Amino acid sequence: MTRAGLTGGIGSGKSTVSALLVSYGAVLIDADRIAREVVEPGTPGLAAVVAEFGTGVLLPDGSLDRPGLGSIVFADPDRLAALNAIVHPLVRDLSSRQEAAAGPGSVVVHDVPLLAENALAPLYDAVVVVDAAPSTQLDRLVRLRGMTQEEARARMAAQATREQRLAIADFVIDNDGPLEALEPQVRKVWDELRSR
Ligand code: ADP
């Protein structure tokens, strides 16, 4: 099994890259998706979040108010650390179980938005970074994701810098150009991962 960590700043095109890798045969383990699953209603994860942040982070139906919680933690590094201390161990546990279910010859790609921020590079055989200029990220977030300039800038500012991500990369996928330029680069990385 080859275990790759895939990361990139918000709007870099990481999800686009992970979808391509899956189309080539990668087994995708999506940290964001797992992070949602571990705080679904009825989970010990959600109970721990409520114990830390109060019932104000719940919607009337008892599910987590993710935008509400997001506005708290993205404005305060200490609160973000408190949330991470709850969610990260649960995410690690569920990811290992999903990984164990993949076949021995598979290429497992862990999609981890905050891989650089949380110094997780040593966990993987190879780190793949999707790279785009901050101006490109901003443009995509505003034009394609409907964020305001301020929202987009705040989300980007809460993440590692482009340089910090590039420093941990074994493979860099340049996604500043058009989609046609992306596919052959992803194919090349896939070939390398598969031949490891
Ligand atoms: P991320 O997962 O890194 O936040 P996405 O893969 O969702 O980013 O990409 C953000 C947006 O930009 C999406 O709407 C996606 O379709 C678009 N996109 C990604 N790569 C390109 C590209 N090379 N050219 C134009 N649009 C792109």
Side-chain angles (χ1 to χ4, degrees), residues 156-173:
M156 287 167 59
Q159 296 192 335
T161 63
R162 184 182 193 183
E163 291 69 30
Q164 285 167 329
R165 270 188 298 271
L166 289 175
I168 58 162
D170 297 296
F171 299 100
V172 177
I173 294 175

Side-chain angles (χ1 to χ4, degrees), residues 2 74 82:
T2 300
F74 288 119

Side-chain angles (χ1 to χ4, degrees), residues 9-16 140 144-145 175 177-179 182:
I10 184 170
S12 63
K14 183 174 56 60
S15 310
T16 309
R140 289 183 188 146
L144 305 171
R145 292 257 192 93
N175 192 28
L179 283 170
L182 182 63

Side-chain angles (χ1 to χ4, degrees), residues 44-99:
L46 184 58
V49 170
V50 171
E52 177 70 34
F53 292 90
T55 50
V57 297
L58 293 179
L59 294 170
D61 70 357
S63 67
L64 187 61
D65 176 6
R66 299 184 63 84
L69 182 59
S71 65
I72 296 170
V73 300
F74 288 119
D76 182 344
D78 289 342
R79 303 307 281 145
L80 181 60
L83 179 63
N84 286 342
I86 296 168
V87 173
H88 285 168
L90 297 170
V91 171
R92 269 198 292 277
D93 183 53
L94 186 50
S95 327
S96 335
R97 282 188 276 142
Q98 289 191 356
E99 189 176 281

